[in-house]
Amino acid sequence: MTTIQDQLQQVRQRITAACQTAGRAPDGVALLAVSKTFGADAVTSAWQAGQLSFGENYIQEAVEKITALRDLPLQWHCIGPIQSNKTRLVAEHFDWVQTVDRLKIAQRLSAQRPPQLPPLQVCIQVNVDGGPTKSGVTPDAALALAQEVATLPRLCLRGLMCIPEPATDFVTACALFARARALFDTLNQAGLALDTLSMGMSADLEAAVASGSTLVRVGSAIFGQRSYPIG
Ligand SMILES: *Cc1c(COP(=O)(O)O)cnc(C)c1O
């Protein structure tokens, strides 16, 4: 087994243990392997250990990897900020986009999604802790944005995603994740059939699972320390 395969196994065990502690079914939490800054060989190694879904932040870097690995049956999630001039590349290459936080970006992704591909699966990114520099729609504006995104023909709205500031302790982390969970429930009560709540990373996946995450995004715990810093 490679180090990546070994670490992937450990992350899967952490998810299973967190589900047990929370009284949740272990198959209720999916794992997205965040491969940003790591090469196609690292992705291939994870794929050989059964990992099919990968997350990328940088569009150009991602498109090169996706193209190099197009013969593997992988699913690619865009989890980085998207500028208007990158929407076409995203619409053409990714399966999922988790970082929709403006109607304009959603409209462009829908218009630019190639007709031969299935609809792009999207999550709305919510800024649950109000950090001024961070991406994400405010919780107050999430329902209105979600209702508009749900009408776009080439997008399929699946849920919400959040990246709270790293908390120093479990209880604080849970309190932030609980805001996303409450919003998720509110949107579902409003009639949007959401099934994905994307939250939790290497350092805080246990708190996210305890708070209702259905998809954890894990990078460094699988692939190792990144050699250049990425937001
Ligand atoms: C980099 C990144 C991750 C993974 O972070 P790790 O701490 O390496 O697990 C998850 N989500 C987003 C949005 C990221 O940018």
Side-chain angles (χ1 to χ4, degrees), residues 126-142:
V126 187
N127 182 350
V128 287
D129 51 0
T133 60
K134 287 235 307 265
S135 323
V137 68
T138 64
D140 285 352

Side-chain angles (χ1 to χ4, degrees), residues 32-36 38 56-57 78-81 98-99 125 161-163 198 200-204 216-222 224 226 230-231:
L32 182 71
V34 178
S35 47
K36 65 186 176 199
F38 293 96
E56 291 282 338
N57 288 55
C78 176
I79 59 170
Q98 296 197 13
T99 45
Q125 184 179 350
M161 174 279 206
C162 69
I163 322 173
S198 170
M201 319 204 301
S202 293
D204 57 12
V216 292
R217 310 177 307 266
V218 179
S220 49
I222 297 171
R226 286 179 289 274
I230 280 175

Side-chain angles (χ1 to χ4, degrees), residues 40 73 75 90 95 98 135 137 149 170 182 184 186 190 215:
Q75 277 203 336
V90 171
D95 303 291
Q98 296 197 13
S135 323
V137 68
V149 168
F170 186 82
F184 180 74
T186 302
L215 179 65

Side-chain angles (χ1 to χ4, degrees), residues 66-228:
I66 294 168
T67 306
L69 295 170
R70 69 177 151 235
D71 292 338
L72 299 185
L74 306 180
Q75 277 203 336
W76 294 93
H77 293 228
C78 176
I79 59 170
I82 305 170
Q83 279 146 11
S84 300
N85 63 356
K86 291 281 162 55
T87 52
R88 181 174 298 280
L89 275 177
V90 171
E92 288 175 351
H93 290 90
F94 283 87
D95 303 291
W96 282 68
V97 177
Q98 296 197 13
T99 45
V100 168
D101 63 358
R102 281 179 290 155
L103 184 59
K104 181 186 163 202
I105 294 291
Q107 286 168 331
R108 290 176 64 95
L109 290 170
S110 181
Q112 293 169 343
R113 182 67 168 171
Q116 73 277 14
L117 294 181
L120 194 54
Q121 310 297 301
V122 304
C123 291
I124 289 178
Q125 184 179 350
V126 187
N127 182 350
V128 287
D129 51 0
T133 60
K134 287 235 307 265
S135 323
V137 68
T138 64
D140 285 352
L143 175 60
L145 178 59
Q147 284 169 332
E148 302 226 55
V149 168
T151 68
L152 294 172
R154 299 291 292 141
L155 304 186
C156 177
L157 179 63
R158 299 293 296 271
L160 300 178
M161 174 279 206
C162 69
I163 322 173
E165 286 301 318
T168 48
D169 64 282
F170 186 82
V171 173
T172 311
C174 286
L176 288 173
F177 288 136
R179 293 187 200 167
R181 170 62 196 270
L183 191 59
F184 180 74
D185 291 344
T186 302
L187 267 56
N188 271 327
Q189 280 152 18
L192 294 158
L194 307 183
D195 64 6
T196 302
L197 182 55
S198 170
M199 57 189 194
M201 319 204 301
S202 293
D204 57 12
L205 75 86
E206 283 81 6
V209 169
S211 310
S213 171
T214 70
L215 179 65
V216 292
R217 310 177 307 266
V218 179
S220 49
I222 297 171
F223 295 107
Q225 214 59 29
R226 286 179 289 274
S227 56
Y228 57 97

